[in-house]
Amino acid sequence: MPSQLIAGAATLALLRAAAGQGAALLIVDDVQWLDLSSTMALSYAARRWTGSDIRMVVAVRVDSDDGFTRSGFRVHDLVPLDDSNSDALLRTAYPALTANVRRRLRADAHGNPLALLELPIAFENGSPPANLPAVLPLTDRLQRLFADRLAGLSEGTRRMLLFVVLAGAENSMTLDDCAPTPEGLADLPPAERAGIVRVNPRTGRLEFRHPLIRSAVIEQSTSEERRQVHRTLAEAFASEPQRRAWHLGQAAVGPDDEIAASLEALSQQMIRHGDSRRATAAMLRAAELSTSDSDRARRTARAAYLGTLITGDIADTSRLLLDANRTEVGEAPSLEAAVAAASQLLNDEGDATTAGRLLLATIRVHDRDIDSGDDTMIEALHTLLYVGFFSGRPELWDDISKVLERAEPQPTDTLSLLHNIFVNPVGATQETLRQLSDALDGLRFSSDPLRIIRVATAAAYVDRIGVAREALWRVIADGRRGGAIAKAIEALFLIAQADFFEGDWDELLEVTDEGLQLCDELGYTLLAGPGRFLRALVDAARGHTDTADLAAEELLLWAAPRHLVTYAAYSSHIRCLSALGRSSFDEAYRLAASVNAAGRFSRYTPHAVWLVLDLTEAAARSDRVVEARAHAEAAVAAGLPGLSSRLRMLTNAALALTDPHDWRRLFEDALATPDSDRWAFDRARIELLYGQQLRREREPATARAHLTTAAQAFERLQAIPWLERTRSELRAAGEPAPAEIRDSVLTPQERVVAELAASGLTNKQIAERLFLSARTVSTHLHRVFPKLGITTRGALRDAMSRHPG
């Protein structure tokens, strides 16, 4: 058409005039909204300004049918932001957002920068609550961005989409589950043709093209329409109490005790089925629908407890507790509020003493039977056990034991296992160990994160966490999806504990890195302790003395004012292992004996069982023969050999160190222990001790065989001090040391990190320069040191100058 040609020529002339003798860049955004005539005029000009310094950049939605793309212009697809960059954008724009909120916003924004910047604004005062709604609200800009995709759909199709969203069909149900009527299915194809939803061919479930389209569906509906859909769904799910209770709760317009009670029961069931996020939401809704102030306060406090214990919402606990306390003015605090407050004290500030006193006092004030069939009482008793574990104070344990003895009916199996095995392994019987084995076996069928963590924790000091690995990884996967994040942290550290004893130290560093980062983000100060302890044990074993000592000092400084005996034991264990690697036996003895005196294994001092060989070796090598023998015999009397194959192996080795006559048989028995190969580091230590004894008995050939086996294991673990001790014994036995550690070539990333560390930069400074986390830098240095054959940071500069590029 002549008019279109004239428009194109005029556009070209205008752009050339604007550029003049210089350059011009034309930027056209949201091309999907451009009319056809404008698109053709710009396309005409773009094809004819060859020779001019004019360029044009247009931005268009990837799913739009625009004239520029069809005309063959060069296309560059902008991929969504990844999680790391999305999180960085949210941190920069909204530094006050909690980690859980950022995680949810990332999930719903799908890497869309505009959505990331706009979503927080949609909430009142621009401050998203810690417990975000199932469907996020949209700003006007996001409405225009996503709601226009619904334009042109019939009323029936839009109503069907509302059913899909409110029924949760895109997450948990098939299409047939959520359709109001069989005929309603006919309303869905237009939405599929418009690219709004699709049916997953594998699962038969619906998927929205973008999660925020769900928000647009909600925004375009009225509150009455949503309540009507929930009422219809409640009727449809009349035979399924859980679903019915949820939808009745959403349809309610005022307080209703019957619905509130159903939602409270539903919350408990959701926890057991691993749906922790909706469990908290159900409890909060139950509080809103409560007619009495006491029920409202109790349920609000319960939601606060769930947030701290399971979902990682510790930052929101104070607000919820304040809401609950306002309602309880003039009344004794409910047990729910006490449990929530104690959990926050324990997980945040680490104040185990105050947490314990609060729980015990509240139980006494209410003066009610300690019914271990009561869900809240169960949680109170579990919290008491953890208080006792971290505190380690005998007088507190006396009070806790009296409370447990009064519990009627008998405590639940997890409570019993934790009390009879975890906090007091030396009191474990073969019957309780059999019960633990049954419980561990039952985790194959469990999706309850609380149960999985509690059963696996009960196995911690008897070396059976490995049996629960699969279940623990399920908890971790759920946490990564935004579910039970607090339990995922515990699962990561339980996996790490198994990794330490089984010699998978590289995985240990990876999982503790993830767990500690979550602790930092969410404010779980106390919960970080086991992760820091396990990383420091690897540091100590590998000869990173400065890093190990710093971690031990920080743990002790944090524990001292809070009287946390377990944290002090962590610190002593780290330093003891480091001292043993350096053959500083007198120092190692004092550190091990600070956890538990030689010759005894006290009740409620579980960490002592991990130090049975450490204390015995340190005593024997520092001329404390009587103490060494007494401790080895005490291990037998305490039943350590019956707790696990690892403890049986260690106890036999401890006896061998102190028996001048039968040492050979005892060492052989230790190495012949079933599954002994599984405990890589401990077995290597025993091979070293046996080889030392054989060499001293003038049996060099036999000694060399055991020492070589030990050297190979220590080399594989990169346990440099222990490898050097073994090489020294090999030389004394008449054989040259084994070859240097293989695979000494540094990766490019390791070299950069090592060079920056050698220049004097701290891990934090290196992390900032390379856009890494400080723990990732630490992990790289863990691998660099053994490759360079050094054990201290101070030796880096010389080692790097000698190391090939």
Side-chain angles (χ1 to χ4, degrees):
M1 293 175 58
S3 59
Q4 189 64 60
L5 292 174
I6 292 171
T11 302
L12 177 59
L14 179 63
L15 290 170
R16 282 177 171 164
Q21 299 300 315
L25 174 64
L26 177 62
I27 300 175
V28 188
D29 198 7
D30 284 329
V31 165
Q32 67 272 4
W33 304 121
L34 211 60
D35 62 273
L36 180 60
S37 296
S38 299
T39 299
M40 293 179 67
L42 288 171
S43 298
Y44 176 93
R47 293 190 181 283
R48 288 164 177 79
W49 60 43
T50 305
S52 302
D53 202 0
I54 303 172
R55 298 292 184 271
M56 179 171 64
V57 176
V58 303
V60 62
R61 287 183 188 169
V62 69
D63 56 344
S64 298
D65 182 23
D66 69 287
F68 291 98
T69 302
R70 283 187 281 107
S71 297
F73 286 99
R74 187 170 58 187
V75 175
H76 176 71
D77 287 326
L78 288 177
V79 298
L81 296 178
D82 59 21
D83 277 352
S84 176
N85 286 315
S86 295
D87 197 61
L89 180 59
L90 286 170
R91 283 175 179 271
T92 302
Y94 304 99
L97 292 181
T98 65
N100 275 346
V101 170
R102 293 198 312 273
R103 187 177 291 106
R104 171 63 189 285
L105 295 179
R106 292 199 309 265
D108 276 26
H110 267 206
N112 184 313
L114 177 63
L116 289 165
L117 293 173
E118 288 280 316
L119 281 171
I121 303 173
F123 292 91
E124 185 177 355
N125 300 321
S127 179
N131 291 294
L132 292 173
V135 180
L136 300 179
L138 301 179
T139 61
D140 290 341
R141 291 182 71 186
L142 291 178
Q143 271 283 3
R144 290 193 297 271
L145 183 62
F146 290 98
D148 72 284
R149 306 184 186 196
L150 305 176
L153 296 179
S154 68
E155 182 181 346
T157 298
R158 286 199 301 272
R159 187 166 183 267
M160 182 62 193
L161 289 175
L162 186 60
F163 268 91
V164 170
V165 173
L166 296 182
E170 78 277 16
N171 292 321
S172 59
M173 287 178 265
T174 64
L175 192 54
D176 291 333
D177 287 328
C178 66
T181 64
E183 294 77 15
L185 293 176
D187 289 322
L188 193 65
E192 290 187 81
R193 288 194 293 270
I196 293 171
V197 294
R198 75 181 185 93
V199 178
N200 187 308
R202 184 174 60 84
T203 63
R205 292 171 182 159
L206 285 177
E207 297 175 345
F208 280 96
R209 185 180 188 89
H210 194 286
L212 293 182
I213 298 178
R214 296 180 306 160
S215 299
V217 171
I218 293 293
E219 297 278 353
Q220 290 197 347
S221 65
T222 66
S223 57
E224 179 53 36
E225 285 174 335
R226 293 193 292 273
R227 284 194 293 271
Q228 180 56 50
V229 168
H230 279 300
R231 283 192 287 269
T232 302
L233 288 167
E235 293 173 7
F237 297 137
S239 61
E240 300 180 54
Q242 290 188 33
R243 290 180 178 177
R244 181 173 182 274
W246 176 264
H247 290 294
L248 284 175
Q250 301 307 306
V253 293
D256 187 311
D257 278 334
E258 183 179 351
I259 294 176
S262 297
L263 284 171
E264 184 173 5
L266 172 63
S267 176
Q268 291 299 110
Q269 293 167 354
M270 284 177 165
I271 287 293
R272 297 188 185 102
H273 293 131
D275 194 353
S276 52
R277 282 282 165 199
R278 294 183 74 205
T280 304
M283 189 61 71
L284 285 171
R285 184 60 175 155
E288 292 172 358
L289 297 177
S290 302
T291 58
S292 73
D293 289 344
S294 59
D295 281 343
R296 186 180 304 111
R298 177 176 58 78
R299 287 162 178 160
T300 302
R302 175 69 179 172
Y305 172 73
L306 293 176
T308 298
L309 179 72
I310 300 174
T311 60
D313 294 321
I314 193 170
D316 206 40
T317 300
S318 297
R319 179 187 63 78
L320 290 174
L321 281 175
L322 185 60
D323 291 345
N325 290 337
R326 286 197 188 104
T327 308
E328 291 181 330
V329 172
E331 301 179 15
S334 65
L335 184 58
E336 286 81 1
V339 173
S343 297
Q344 185 186 31
L345 284 167
L346 191 62
N347 287 296
D348 185 9
E349 292 299 323
D351 191 345
T353 301
T354 304
R357 287 173 179 165
L358 174 63
L359 280 172
L360 290 167
T362 306
I363 291 171
R364 294 189 186 107
V365 166
H366 283 273
D367 193 30
R368 64 185 184 183
D369 292 335
I370 302 176
D371 180 5
S372 64
D374 180 306
D375 286 332
T376 304
M377 182 58 69
I378 290 172
E379 301 310 327
L381 296 177
H382 274 102
T383 305
L384 266 178
L385 279 179
Y386 284 112
V387 165
F389 169 74
F390 282 110
S391 171
R393 295 171 55 230
E395 61 272 23
L396 185 57
W397 269 119
D398 290 341
D399 289 337
I400 293 172
S401 296
K402 290 175 184 176
V403 168
L404 291 172
E405 288 170 3
R406 289 169 51 204
E408 292 292 343
Q410 287 301 304
T412 60
D413 64 336
T414 54
L415 194 63
S416 176
L417 292 172
L418 287 165
H419 184 229
N420 295 326
I421 301 176
F422 173 61
V423 298
N424 188 33
V426 297
T429 65
Q430 289 305 305
E431 174 60 21
T432 56
L433 292 173
R434 184 193 63 75
Q435 292 170 0
L436 175 61
S437 294
D438 291 344
L440 286 166
D441 186 59
L443 294 185
R444 292 179 298 163
F445 311 106
S446 177
S447 56
D448 180 353
L450 276 175
R451 178 171 182 79
I452 291 170
I453 293 301
R454 286 167 176 170
V455 173
T457 299
Y461 285 107
V462 292
D463 301 310
R464 304 188 190 191
I465 292 176
V467 181
R469 271 186 184 272
E470 183 181 345
L472 290 169
W473 280 116
R474 289 202 303 273
V475 175
I476 294 167
D478 176 60
R480 288 170 176 168
R481 292 191 299 267
I485 299 175
K487 297 296 105 180
I489 294 171
E490 294 182 60
L492 287 163
F493 294 157
L494 286 166
I495 291 284
Q497 181 185 310
D499 287 342
F500 180 78
F501 292 119
E502 294 176 13
D504 193 351
W505 292 356
D506 287 339
E507 181 181 75
L508 181 153
L509 295 175
E510 291 174 8
V511 295
T512 53
D513 188 61
E514 180 179 355
L516 290 172
Q517 184 173 344
L518 287 170
C519 287
D520 287 345
E521 290 179 352
L522 300 172
Y524 282 97
T525 313
L526 183 77
L527 205 57
R532 295 165 63 195
F533 160 64
L534 291 164
R535 287 181 74 91
L537 278 186
V538 173
D539 279 328
R542 287 181 165 173
H544 306 324
T545 307
D546 293 345
T547 309
D549 285 350
L550 178 62
E553 182 179 2
E554 289 175 345
L555 285 167
L556 189 58
L557 287 174
W558 202 78
R562 296 167 177 83
H563 308 290
L564 298 176
V565 173
T566 296
Y567 264 55
Y570 289 166
S571 178
S572 294
H573 191 168
I574 294 162
R575 286 186 163 128
C576 176
L577 188 60
S578 182
L580 286 172
R582 302 190 310 269
S583 299
S584 298
F585 297 113
D586 189 67
E587 178 187 357
Y589 176 79
R590 285 185 285 102
L591 289 162
S594 72
V595 176
N596 193 69
R600 52 183 284 193
F601 285 86
S602 304
R603 295 177 66 221
Y604 302 117
T605 311
H607 208 85
V609 304
W610 280 358
L611 291 164
V612 56
L613 182 59
D614 302 62
L615 195 152
T616 305
E617 180 187 3
R621 296 291 188 253
S622 61
D623 297 325
R624 295 178 172 89
V625 178
V626 173
E627 289 88 343
R629 183 67 185 176
H631 202 62
E633 290 175 347
V636 176
L640 265 61
L643 297 180
S644 76
S645 62
R646 189 179 74 88
L647 291 173
R648 185 183 316 135
M649 178 178 73
L650 293 177
T651 301
N652 277 328
L655 289 169
L657 280 173
T658 61
D659 192 323
H661 307 296
D662 207 18
W663 57 270
R664 191 188 305 272
R665 180 189 63 80
L666 289 166
F667 272 126
E668 292 289 349
D669 286 349
L671 295 176
T673 302
D675 291 333
S676 64
D677 288 339
R678 179 179 167 197
W679 318 112
F681 182 57
D682 288 320
R683 182 183 170 94
R685 287 181 60 184
I686 294 170
E687 295 276 14
L688 168 59
L689 292 171
Y690 192 14
Q692 285 177 321
Q693 189 67 26
L694 288 167
R695 181 187 64 78
R696 291 170 184 174
E697 295 295 325
R698 302 185 185 281
E699 299 181 36
T702 310
R704 286 196 297 270
H706 289 283
L707 292 170
T708 298
T709 300
Q712 291 169 346
F714 290 138
E715 181 179 355
R716 190 165 53 252
L717 293 169
Q718 300 176 4
I720 305 300
W722 298 85
L723 180 58
E724 291 303 323
R725 276 186 60 182
T726 308
R727 286 174 173 173
S728 177
E729 289 291 335
L730 275 167
R731 287 192 292 270
E735 182 172 304
E740 296 296 324
I741 294 179
R742 300 170 181 82
D743 301 323
S744 62
V745 177
L746 303 184
T747 67
Q749 184 82 294
E750 288 170 347
R751 172 162 288 279
V752 172
V753 170
E755 288 173 347
L756 291 174
S759 72
L761 296 182
T762 65
N763 286 7
K764 183 178 180 181
Q765 290 169 328
I766 297 169
E768 289 171 351
R769 285 200 182 189
L770 301 180
F771 302 100
L772 303 171
S773 72
R775 290 195 183 90
T776 300
V777 172
S778 176
T779 299
H780 282 308
L781 289 175
H782 271 300
R783 293 167 179 157
V784 164
F785 279 32
K787 289 183 177 182
L788 297 179
I790 59 174
T791 59
T792 65
R793 200 181 187 101
L796 260 176
R797 179 173 296 181
D798 291 340
M800 289 300 293
S801 66
R802 298 190 304 267
H803 197 271

